[in-house]
Amino acid sequence: MSSQRKVRVRFAPSPTGGLHLGGVRTALFNYLYARRYEGDFILRIEDTDQTRFVPGAEEYINECLDWCGLTPDEGPNKPGGYEPYRQSERKASYRQYAEQLVNSGFAYYAFDTPEELDVRRKEEPNFRYSHENRLQLRNSLSLSEEETARLLSDGRPHTIRIKMPVEETVSFEDMIRGRVAFETGLIDDKVLLKADGMPTYHLAVVVDDKAMKISHVFRGEEWLPSAPVHILLWEYLGWKDEMPHWAHLPLILKPDGNGKLSKRDGDRLGFPVYAMNWTDVKSGDVTKGFREMGFLPEAFINMLAVLGWNDGTEQEIFSIEELIAKFSVDRISKAGAKFDFEKAKWFNHEWIKKTDNKEILPQIEEVLKQHGVALPHSDYIANVLALVKERMTFVEDFWEQASFFFMIPETYDVDAVKPKWNENKIAFFQNIVAEFRAMQEWTASSLEPFFKSKIVDSGMKIGELMMPFRIMLVGGKFGPDVFQIAETLGKEEVVKRIEKALPHFA
């Protein structure tokens, strides 16, 4: 393996359903490595298992990557000279390599029917097709050459299986885990080519990685047990010198650390595990995604990057540019990373605070539309956003924090102030309305000293009148600085709200 090869990495999802955050993290680490070393990031759709194919899933994958900003350099929608990028469209290329392996003695034809194998599994609970029993099963190793030839000429359905060596050790250098070794005698004879002519993952991934000149493979830890099969295939096909470097990423674990994070965990604990909403094509059930929950893509990507990686400092907030500049494989942890939804929300809160208001504006406008608000000028929305964004965890929180900027309160939380309400306070607000109407300058910096001086002149306490003022404008005891609220609403609106609210305090 030459370290001087051009970096070419691939994200190779199966179009079978929603895109789990673990899958997005795999895409992200591939993307960061490619960008760090000025290489190519390739999207390949692994749709060889046609029984699990879900219509619309490929489009969903593309939309997820677009939302996350992980745009492939090559893929089904952007050919780059190594097409096709869907495995189902490469079907013709796989059989020749499977046959080559048979002819060179590294694989064999297996004629066992699924029903026959099911019987064996029932008889032997831990049944596996391997060197221990392959000569007792129906395959070209146990049958005569004549019988094998006859079955093939008759068109008998068959698979092609790798012939795993009995007493060998396959070892390789994993970029994350260091030296990893496997005893081949403990591994079963994996199917390489299915009866329908489609390859399994094991054959397809090797053939396609060779054809696409993949230099580095970043994939989940769950594929580690398959690595010796793949390494042997690279060797048996005569391609060992072109084999990619391997990096098996740590799992994303349940919040308690016990096992891999699953969709069921999200359903049970009330958080998303998919990047975007996924609608089950059979049931119509919608599984909520991070995007629809109100996560910014920058926050989602930042959160994923530090699940199993750090730059060696205390820094937690990273832009994509910083991640690219600082990404290094030796900072990826070997151990699984526990998913913490509270921490994920913290990342989103921090990114909402630091993101330019104009960038979030389209999502805020969508929130307003969902609540039936006729959109005011974007400058007004941006001003409101600036006042409340410190209090927002999700984009949708904008409505809870700022709805009163767009509609006059329908109800007033007056219970706390009613017991001390009196004629003097009514008179104060009646007078302040007239004073407000006459004011020339309408800014928070001019309103605050003016309002407080009028309270002092009245002989009442500031605290007794500030809260009623807030309730009149907002409807409750919440929101940003009350004078900033007044400035943003404007003089006419503030006067109108005080006059409307006063009767509710009586």
Side-chain angles (χ1 to χ4, degrees), residues 68-84:
C68 292
L70 307 178
T71 307
D73 299 301
E74 298 173 24
N77 299 331
K78 192 179 179 183
Y82 296 87
E83 54 265 44

Side-chain angles (χ1 to χ4, degrees), residues 48-49 87 91 94 192-194 196-201 203-204:
T48 56
D49 190 345
Q87 284 186 332
K91 181 178 177 179
Y94 300 113
L192 302 179
L193 200 73
K194 293 178 279 192
D196 63 1
M198 289 296 275
T200 61
Y201 174 79
L203 178 64

Side-chain angles (χ1 to χ4, degrees), residues 61-126:
I61 290 166
N62 280 308
E63 194 177 343
C64 285
L65 293 179
D66 285 346
W67 176 65
C68 292
L70 307 178
T71 307
D73 299 301
E74 298 173 24
N77 299 331
K78 192 179 179 183
Y82 296 87
E83 54 265 44
Y85 294 88
R86 295 184 190 92
Q87 284 186 332
S88 59
E89 295 171 7
R90 304 174 71 87
K91 181 178 177 179
S93 68
Y94 300 113
R95 176 166 282 278
Q96 68 181 84
Y97 297 111
E99 297 282 2
Q100 178 185 326
L101 290 164
V102 173
N103 294 335
S104 53
F106 297 122
Y108 58 90
Y109 301 111
F111 298 98
D112 319 86
T113 67
E115 293 75 23
E116 288 169 342
L117 293 177
D118 282 343
V119 169
R120 292 296 293 254
R121 290 188 187 97
K122 286 171 186 169
E123 292 172 352
E124 303 172 43
N126 297 316

